[in-house]
Amino acid sequence: KNFQSKQQEAIYNFIEKNGQIVTAEVEELLGVKQRRARKILKEMVEGGLLRKIGAAKNTHYILTERK
């Protein structure tokens, strides 16, 4: 996989292990604020690594190759 950062790789590995991730888990995993967590997730969705499911408080992210 082509990760743009160690942060993206950490998120990807977390989802591989747990099936999905939410913004709060990204904040905790990486020690970043919500704004930064959302930016990284958005970049990963745009890069085709993740798929965004749901909206607002129910948003979570999964790996694109999982159906």
Side-chain angles (χ1 to χ4, degrees):
K1 294 282 171 197
N2 288 344
F3 300 110
Q4 292 178 3
S5 67
K6 291 275 183 214
Q7 290 177 320
Q8 286 192 0
E9 191 171 0
I11 291 168
Y12 190 90
N13 291 337
F14 181 97
I15 299 171
E16 266 193 331
K17 198 167 85 181
N18 300 287
Q20 66 178 46
I21 201 164
V22 297
T23 306
E25 289 169 325
V26 174
E27 292 171 48
E28 195 176 317
L29 181 71
L30 304 178
V32 295
K33 297 206 180 332
Q34 186 181 71
R35 189 181 169 121
R36 178 75 185 130
R38 286 187 176 153
K39 185 178 191 303
I40 297 165
L41 288 165
K42 185 173 185 263
E43 288 168 355
M44 292 182 76
V45 169
E46 288 170 354
L49 291 170
L50 303 183
R51 211 163 82 207
K52 182 178 175 179
I53 309 289
K57 288 197 181 301
N58 297 319
T59 305
H60 62 278
Y61 298 83
I62 61 170
L63 303 181
T64 46
E65 58 264 23
R66 294 223 176 124
K67 296 291 178 233

